[in-house]
Structures are given as structure tokens and as C-alpha cells.
Amino acid sequence: MEERRRRNGGDRRLSARRQCRQLRLAYQHGLVAEDGPFSVFPGVDRTLSVLEGNGIDLTVDGREATRLTQQSAPLAFPADAPTTARLVDGPIRDLNVMSRRGAFSHLVDDRSAPMLDSHSDHCRLVFCKRGDLHVSSGNHDDTLGPQDALLCAMGEVISVTGEGALIVVTLHGPEHILSRQNK
């Protein structure tokens, strides 16, 4: 998906995708319009969240299918396990977070605004699921609309106000790389 200029004219959100790539973390949001297999990525861990639509049934590594909806918790699974998807009733829009196993790991958590996330020893990616959110972190104030994201540095307290839902992705990995990346 093409990156858009932020409403307040800043460029901090635009750099989130580039910074994540340098950190060996990928996030993408997109449309799933048909049933079928997921791409296989050796050595990668993946977490999937449903943003819009009626849901998707995922069969990972031959186990019983797990239904994901907008209301369900994100599902973490190995991206190198054979995975097939069956849409519940029409297309969905999802958020797909992936990290290189052994180099980094990630934790994906659904949250609601308002939210205050205290000091953390890890970088966090704030993704606006729906609504309009005002995010303060470190010395920065940013406005996020649906499907905008912001990468927050280690040690920053994150305050989110406004009406809406968000996803916080916490990155675990070589702290010296994470702290240097965000200066």
C-alpha cells in the first residue's frame, strides 16, 4: 500500500515502514478477497489481525481451523508452517506483522483509546485500527487516522487519546540496534 503524507504535514509516520524494514520487522495491511494458501516465509513468525470484514478461518500446519474476526485476539503462528485461509462471508482487510525468528520477536496487542503505555525497554509500533487518534510519545505529537502507523522509540511513554481502536506491536530484540535506530 502506498504511504500517504500525514495530515499534520510531518514525516514521522512515513518513516515507520522504512525503520521497521531495517529492524527486520514487516507489517502490512491489505485485502484478502479469496480463499487459498498463505505465502510461506522460512524462519519468520507472523501475527494476523482482522481489521474489517466478517472473518477468516485459518488452518495452520494441518491443525483445526481457527476463526479470526474483528473481535478476536490476534493470532500468532509460524510463517513457515503451511497455512490455508477460508473467508467466512466475503473479503476481509487484515494487519499482518512478521519478524525474523532468532533476530527479533514481536507481540501484537489490541487496545482502545484512551491509552497510556508506560516506559518500555522495547520499541513499539502504534497502528490505528479505526477512528482518529492523537499519539504523544517522547517529544512528538502525531495524529493517526485509520491504517496509519507510528514507530515509538525505546523508553518513550506513549499516550493515545481520541475515539477509536489501535494495535500496539512490541518489538523484542537486540536493544542496541533498536535504540540507535530511533535517534
Side-chain angles (χ1 to χ4, degrees):
M1 185 162 278
E2 193 173 23
E3 294 173 328
R4 294 171 281 146
R5 276 250 168 246
R6 291 185 7 81
R7 282 179 253 198
N8 67 1
D11 63 359
R12 193 162 175 234
R13 185 197 65 80
L14 287 173
S15 65
R17 204 175 288 275
R18 272 183 244 119
Q19 288 174 330
C20 285
R21 273 195 297 267
Q22 292 171 346
L23 296 174
R24 296 178 193 241
L25 174 89
Y27 73 94
Q28 61 187 20
H29 46 94
L31 183 69
V32 178
E34 57 188 43
D35 299 343
F38 271 36
S39 298
V40 172
F41 298 103
V44 171
D45 289 318
R46 165 186 265 162
T47 304
L48 197 72
S49 302
V50 174
L51 303 174
E52 298 173 3
N54 293 319
I56 189 169
D57 292 328
L58 290 181
T59 302
V60 179
D61 210 15
R63 293 190 301 264
E64 185 176 331
T66 300
R67 177 158 291 175
L68 286 175
T69 66
Q70 292 181 56
Q71 292 75 35
S72 64
L75 179 66
F77 58 98
D80 45 13
T83 303
T84 57
R86 187 182 62 74
L87 296 166
V88 173
D89 182 22
I92 65 158
R93 188 164 293 282
D94 68 359
L95 175 67
N96 190 6
V97 178
M98 294 183 280
S99 59
R100 176 73 53 201
R101 193 176 304 127
F104 287 89
S105 64
H106 65 269
L107 177 64
V108 178
D109 190 23
D110 277 326
R111 306 267 186 99
S112 297
M115 177 202 86
L116 180 64
D117 200 5
S118 62
H119 167 82
S120 174
D121 291 335
H122 305 285
C123 286
R124 288 154 297 164
L125 179 76
V126 176
F127 180 88
C128 181
K129 200 170 176 179
R130 65 184 152 274
D132 287 308
L133 304 174
H134 179 78
V135 181
S136 296
S137 64
N139 295 324
H140 304 282
D141 290 317
D142 295 276
T143 301
L144 301 181
Q147 301 175 13
D148 283 343
L150 180 68
L151 188 63
C152 300
M154 288 177 13
E156 292 182 346
V157 173
I158 301 171
S159 172
V160 180
T161 57
E163 295 289 324
L166 59 142
I167 294 173
V168 176
V169 179
T170 303
L171 313 177
H172 302 270
E175 306 329 331
H176 67 281
I177 294 173
L178 295 175
S179 62
R180 187 179 51 214
Q181 212 46 40
N182 287 295
K183 293 201 181 222

